[in-house]
Amino acid sequence: MSESMQGLKRSHRCAELSNSNIGNEVTVMGWVQKRRNLGSLIFVDLRDRSGLLQIVFDENSVGKEGFEKAGTLRSEFVLAVTGEVVKRSGAVNTNLKTGEIEVIAKSFRILSESETPPFPIEANSQTKDEIRLKYRFLDLRRPDIQRNLILRSKAATVIRNFLTEEGFLEIETPILMKSTPEGARDYLVPSRVHHGKFYALPQSPQLFKQLLMCSGYDRYFQIAKCFRDEDLRADRQPEFTQVDMELSFVNDEDVMEVNERLIQKLFKDLIDVDVELPLQRMKWIDAMNQYGSDKPDTRFEMKIIDVSEVVKNCGFGVFTSALENNGYVRGLNVKGQAGMPRKKIDALVKDAKELGAKGLAYLCVNEDGSYKSSFAKFMADEELKAICQAMNAENGDLLLFAADSFKVVCDVLGTLRLKLAKTLDLIDENKFNFLWVTEFPLLEWSEEENRYTAMHHPFTMPMEEDLDKIETDPGAVRAIAYDIVLNGVELGGGSVRIHQNDIQEKMFETLGFTKEDAHERFGFLLNAFKYGVPPHAGLAYGFDRLIMLMVKADSIRDVMAFPKVKDASCLMTKAPDVVDAEQLKELGIEILDEESEE
Amino acid sequence: MSESMQGLKRSHRCAELSNSNIGNEVTVMGWVQKRRNLGSLIFVDLRDRSGLLQIVFDENSVGKEGFEKAGTLRSEFVLAVTGEVVKRSGAVNTNLKTGEIEVIAKSFRILSESETPPFPIEANSQTKDEIRLKYRFLDLRRPDIQRNLILRSKAATVIRNFLTEEGFLEIETPILMKSTPEGARDYLVPSRVHHGKFYALPQSPQLFKQLLMCSGYDRYFQIAKCFRDEDLRADRQPEFTQVDMELSFVNDEDVMEVNERLIQKLFKDLIDVDVELPLQRMKWIDAMNQYGSDKPDTRFEMKIIDVSEVVKNCGFGVFTSALENNGYVRGLNVKGQAGMPRKKIDALVKDAKELGAKGLAYLCVNEDGSYKSSFAKFMADEELKAICQAMNAENGDLLLFAADSFKVVCDVLGTLRLKLAKTLDLIDENKFNFLWVTEFPLLEWSEEENRYTAMHHPFTMPMEEDLDKIETDPGAVRAIAYDIVLNGVELGGGSVRIHQNDIQEKMFETLGFTKEDAHERFGFLLNAFKYGVPPHAGLAYGFDRLIMLMVKADSIRDVMAFPKVKDASCLMTKAPDVVDAEQLKELGIEILDEESEE
């Protein structure tokens, strides 16, 4: 049975009612959260987007027939109820916004019935992900997911209004664009009109936003859908949303300044967190040296300490040979963990090996000042003392050491630092620690391609003082690039772009592109650059990730309405799916036999 | 040569300066619109997004070297100029916001040089579309296009803020979704992970927004990208933008009410046009009868008049036989055009035939009261007089008649009405005439498929009073659907959706779907409907078209940053394009030989 709502008009959402409505006749509509029969009364918690409201069905008020109908109500039925708001007759429910009131139904309609849902609609459900996502339309009813999506909508509003007031224009760039061979794997769209040709879905609007600067739009932004056909991890989705911006006639300071104010406003307006400005800045090299990461989590200490100088002449071959191979010896001081069981230390050693290290050396400074160590036997007492001093070790501390190349030492100690902080509960989850990481390397050496590749992209501007090293020492050139990091997660990043022909040409040369290569890849942007290009710079945030951190969700799936799972499929709609042969024929493509793909 | 802007900071955009800045030192940046040498001075109009500003280079102020450099400036060079704002020494330019002032340059840098652009950067350019779109990055510099895109950005802001204040949440729905066989042709995206399967790009978020209502989000909106792989017309693009919304616990009146206020605000805030509310309403049948169109242009009269009753016994076989075949005889009174040359009338007859009519009858009521007519000889004088009276004809009027089926009569007279209004300049281009068209037929008969098809979509609610006709007389059932029309263009449309199982089942039956068919097509929505679905309704606007009408552009290409041309390609980026064989292999597809497609 489902009744029409003709002639009815909702007066309030459920949780918009309060003490001030007592005595009012109201009409509310929503879903039955639960029904309880209590003596001669029936109680229903009615749920809508705003929250819960208690409805009371009393035969005296709703009539015999109505009372019987109320007895048939089950979870997730949709009701329209007209009645009077009264002070709650039973105990006040302090967990509820509407806990002091209830509505005595005078009349009601069942707008829609419901089968028994496969899982209860409640916050923090323990239901398996597969079931949740198959029934996403029910999962989306859960109040925690609703809270996330409501906050996401508000965040978009705050961002848009802030940027609009700062003179940014929102301009839509194409979704059907051209495939560019740089970067991640593109999603392709076969063209029906142009046989054998394909569109690509954008990985970002990078080239278009730079074009818009060439075209004089001065300040652009877009909350843009982007696509990458990559294997998924917990915080990746095939389509994701980016808050994308670009500014003309600015330098890096201008971009960071406006974005700091944006972040401050966003966190204040949405989750009432005060972000102090200016944000901390950290050079890339310092982040790597102290935190072993270009996105350091600064909510806890335990910085990496370099002891290369201290151990360079020690008797432990592992340390000295690493140094001889232009490597480093660095350590972590895990305070008060000298008593860590051997099994746990062994697990850390195993982690280190998985990260590429040959091992992990340790030194427990026992409470009585004695040592337990993997390498103490190779060292004199004063050598051990010097190490402890360098590491600021006190009795009871556990010292861990990696001796390897810069990359491996950073990876190992950076990863162990995070892992230990979690295990030892060192992280204050109420902190929101922002920082800018700056002065990234412009280029990184690709062993695979046997050439330098752009760390950000080929249009990133080198720092002026490093310009003369582009030809002589490309690996040492720093970029005018900046990442914004929150609690150890990269929220976004950007750079000043090259607007000078001569620098751009040098850059392409360094990347090993001929003029023809460059033109094939970025032709339309290079064409545009011939006709007067303003200095410009930009930044983009991962919007899903930003919201995830703001609401402290575990996965970006909890801040998107219709996410996909690891194999990039949608469990609810069963996308992707087979299509008619006719459709493929029109597109001029056919499916390869599975074998022939090998 | 391109100089860095290090150490410089822009103080104003060009046209932000006015009399109140006289005496100030300012730094402006922008593009050279033109340079003129006048005696010992050089004048440059500098352009940015805000407009033009006159810069004066005087050797006394800018130095000898600077003056020489200023002599090298050419169109589209990018400059940074620091100087003093002064009252204009020459004549005031009243065409310019900054026409009373100029800036005497003290120093300047050439931030970027420019080749000579292929066409001048100016409003209302006569450049061919192909060249404009190939060099879209230059075309986008034109002030009229900039004005359009700036208004578009503002319109999005107004819409978002209005809807947000009305309790709507902006929720993003997927771009990579499942292909549904109803509607236009889908763009497909091959899946790399799932061999032989495809995603489809959404033609609209219709199913997802209905799901969100099932999930309790109450009021949803999105400014959403939509895609249709159809052959393009002037106002169609393969990807377009829709202002999409859906509301729970509402009826058609609620949807129209909130949208009327949205339209009123939009037109007032953006183009200072007062839209009077409530908007006119017109039933579909009246629109067809009086205007021959479901999107009538009411900026001029010349309504269609039915004379079937008057001519039913006349001597003109064309009229009477049309009536005998359940057709109609209807006419247009083209005021004061009795003297229209025969050649022009013949052209109208030809148009009528192209629209499916067997002919077009005419009757000129000459200034002296005599007739010139294609059919007068078949009629008695009193019959002609009765026709003239029914048509409100006065001396000097031209009467045109179609006698045919309902569809053909409407098509012919509706089309000729618009054509004549344009030719005869009857349309007041300053008017913004809105109306709602309501009570659309729920179904239309498809000769091709030999079944009824849904006029809007299969979830559209029939009018309550027509419910019992669904089985007995499906063609007569009206829908609770509404289109919003502006100046003869469909701006948007929507409907109340079916939320009752029994009605939905009847609807599917009428459309000739078995339960299995329905489930295959709309399975996840029907699943969701099992668990308590609120009454809901929605509407969607074509955003590009809305902006086009607001700025009075000729084509939606002039209100999009990067449009495609008729063959769905982008002349600037050359998308779509060929891709690497490797990419296709990974996707498990191959391109068919062109011949084998036949």
Side-chain angles (χ1 to χ4, degrees), chain B residues 398-437:
Chain B
L398 166 65
L399 309 180
L400 302 172
F401 297 94
D404 216 310
S405 67
F406 178 76
K407 188 179 177 315
V408 171
V409 167
C410 290
D411 277 0
V412 167
L413 296 181
T415 306
L416 290 187
R417 177 178 175 273
L418 290 178
K419 183 162 183 167
L420 285 162
K422 252 178 225 161
T423 326
L424 303 173
D425 204 15
L426 301 181
I427 299 173
D428 177 352
E429 297 287 348
N430 292 318
K431 278 190 179 170
F432 285 94
N433 277 25
F434 288 92
L435 75 157
W436 290 107
V437 177

Side-chain angles (χ1 to χ4, degrees), chain B residues 258-271:
Chain B
V258 70
N259 277 286
E260 290 192 351
R261 288 187 289 112
L262 168 60
I263 287 289
Q264 187 179 54
K265 181 161 181 59
L266 200 56
F267 278 71
K268 185 66 191 171
D269 285 9
L270 292 181
I271 56 172

